[in-house]
Amino acid sequence: MNNDCPPYPILLAEDDLISRRLCQKILAREGFAVTTVANGREALELFRQRFFPIVLTDWQMPEMEGPELCRAIRDENPNRYVFIVMLTSKGSKGDIISGLEAGADDYITKPAHPAELVARIRTGIRILELERSLKAAVDEIHLMSILDSLTGLYNRGYINERLPQEIRRAHRYVRDLSLVLCDIDHFKKVNDTYGHLVGDVVLKSFARCLAGSIRQEVDWAGRYGGEEFLIVLPETHLHGALVLTERIRRTLESTPIETDNKAIGITSSFGVVCFSPGTCKEAITPEALLQEADNLLYRAKSEGRNRIEAGRLTS
C-alpha cells in the first residue's frame, strides 16, 4: 500500500471465523489496519463509536445481515462517505443487485481471492480520495462565497444570514448579544491622498486588528460595506463590549499602518449596542439592532470621531 496515502481503517464483519481470519491476514499483510467483529449488530455498534471509511461485510450473519448493516450505515452517515464491500456466496444477478441497492459499493464472491480482495479495497481508497478532494473543493468554494475577498472577514451576505441566527440563539438561551459597528475615520481622504492600493492596505490592516481582538470560535467580524465593519459578540453584556471596543480603538489610534511609502495613522468611530432578551418586550429583529448600532455610530462621528457611543435596545 502507498504509505503516502492517509490511513483508511477497515471494519470487517464476518461470522465465519476461518473466513474472518483469512481476510484479516490478507489485508494486514498489505499494511491495512483491520478491526474484526463476528456479526452485523456488533459492527454497527462499533461503527457508532468509531468511524470507519471502509466496511467489509458478509451478507449472511446472525443478528443483522449485511444488507441491513449497509442501510443502517448509509442512514446514519449522510455527510461522510463509507466504501462498503459485500462478501457473498450468493451469485445470482438478482442477489447482487439487491446488495448494491441496500448500499454496498462493490461485492466479492466467497471465498475471497487475495489479489481481488486487495484490488477492491484499493479501488475503494481511490474513490475515497476523490470524494475527499471533491469535499475540499466544495468547502473552499463555500468559504470563498462567504468571505470578503479583500479583508478575509465575512462578507455582507454572510452577515445577513448569520445575524438572525445569533439573535434567535440569544432569545432561546436568554443571553445578552452585543454588536459593534465601526467606521474608519476620514477614509476617503486616505484614498484621495495615497491612492486606492494604499487604501486597500489600510482596510486589510484594520480587519486584522478586529480579527485579532475577538474571541476565536465565539465572536465574529465582517465587512459591512466600504470602510464599515461589524463585530458580533454573543453572550456579551454592554460593559464587556465596551471594554473590547475601547481596546480596539486605542490600538488603532496608537499603531500606524506601514505601507510602501509611509506609515499612516488612522482612527475609527464605534457604535456599540446590546440587547438583553430577558428585558425585551418583544423579539428583536436584525434590522432594529443594526439600525440602532448605525445611529450610535453616526452619533460618534458627529461628536468628533475616534470615539465610542453605546446604548441598549429594549424593544
Side-chain angles (χ1 to χ4, degrees):
M1 186 172 65
N2 186 350
N3 292 327
D4 294 331
C5 292
Y8 287 97
I10 299 171
L11 176 59
L12 169 60
E14 168 62 87
D15 62 314
D16 183 81
L17 179 60
I18 295 176
S19 179
R20 185 167 69 244
R21 287 182 174 175
L22 177 62
C23 288
Q24 183 180 27
K25 183 177 180 180
I26 293 169
L27 295 172
R29 191 166 56 228
E30 295 296 320
F32 294 103
V34 184
T35 300
T36 64
V37 292
N39 61 64
R41 183 68 61 190
E42 290 181 13
L44 184 58
E45 291 175 357
L46 182 59
F47 192 93
R48 286 169 173 166
Q49 299 170 21
R50 174 189 170 193
F51 180 76
F52 290 87
I54 300 175
V55 173
L56 187 63
T57 176
D58 189 18
W59 183 302
Q60 294 177 304
M61 295 182 292
E63 298 191 41
M64 177 184 285
E65 293 196 331
E68 187 180 353
L69 174 61
C70 287
R71 283 189 288 268
I73 288 174
R74 295 296 183 217
D75 289 344
E76 296 188 13
N77 295 270
N79 298 319
R80 299 188 71 179
Y81 191 73
V82 183
F83 186 79
I84 304 176
V85 180
M86 190 86 74
L87 292 167
T88 178
S89 57
K90 297 175 176 287
S92 73
K93 291 295 183 183
D95 289 331
I96 292 170
I97 292 171
S98 177
L100 295 174
E101 288 180 342
D105 294 285
D106 206 345
Y107 72 95
I108 298 176
T109 302
K110 297 171 64 174
H113 186 279
E116 181 185 8
L117 176 60
V118 172
R120 302 281 189 182
I121 296 300
R122 285 179 172 164
T123 296
I125 289 178
R126 288 196 296 272
I127 292 173
L128 289 167
E129 286 288 340
L130 288 172
E131 191 270 342
R132 176 177 291 189
S133 298
L134 178 59
K135 186 178 184 302
V138 170
D139 289 345
E140 183 177 357
I141 291 171
H142 174 68
L143 190 62
M144 291 173 61
S145 73
I146 64 175
L147 296 182
D148 176 63
S149 59
L150 177 65
T151 64
L153 299 182
Y154 292 117
N155 59 26
R156 182 67 175 270
Y158 183 82
I159 291 172
N160 292 340
E161 176 184 339
R162 184 168 174 184
L163 183 57
Q165 298 172 1
E166 294 287 3
I167 293 174
R168 287 194 295 270
R169 188 172 69 170
H171 279 294
R172 184 183 308 119
Y173 297 108
V174 196
R175 301 287 180 86
D176 286 4
L177 176 68
S178 294
L179 263 62
V180 181
L181 191 61
C182 48
D183 182 285
I184 300 176
D185 295 329
H186 303 296
F187 183 70
K188 184 177 182 302
K189 184 177 179 181
V190 173
N191 277 335
D192 291 344
T193 303
Y194 304 105
H196 288 279
L197 291 179
V198 172
D200 287 349
V201 173
V202 171
L203 288 170
K204 288 189 283 188
S205 179
F206 186 87
R208 283 196 298 271
C209 177
L210 299 187
S213 301
I214 60 179
R215 297 170 296 180
Q216 300 299 313
E217 308 299 331
V218 179
D219 308 327
W220 53 278
R223 188 179 181 185
Y224 193 66
E227 66 271 23
E228 283 190 339
F229 294 81
L230 180 72
I231 304 173
V232 180
L233 306 170
E235 301 185 21
T236 304
H237 49 64
L238 185 60
H239 176 72
L242 283 171
V243 170
L244 170 70
T245 305
E246 176 60 16
R247 184 165 66 244
I248 294 173
R249 189 198 67 78
R250 289 187 177 183
T251 299
L252 292 168
E253 181 184 46
S254 62
T255 311
I257 296 173
E258 298 292 335
T259 70
D260 291 339
N261 298 322
K262 62 175 300 184
I264 300 174
I266 64 167
T267 60
S268 182
S269 301
F270 302 84
V272 181
V273 61
C274 174
F275 91 94
S276 303
T279 63
C280 293
K281 299 177 182 178
E282 56 188 35
I284 297 297
T285 66
E287 293 77 16
L289 204 55
L290 288 167
Q291 183 60 59
E292 184 61 19
D294 191 59
N295 293 339
L296 292 164
L297 173 59
Y298 181 80
R299 185 190 304 169
K301 292 162 70 174
S302 299
E303 293 294 327
R305 294 183 170 84
N306 190 25
R307 58 183 289 120
I308 302 167
E309 291 292 336
R312 290 184 178 273
L313 192 63
T314 57
S315 62

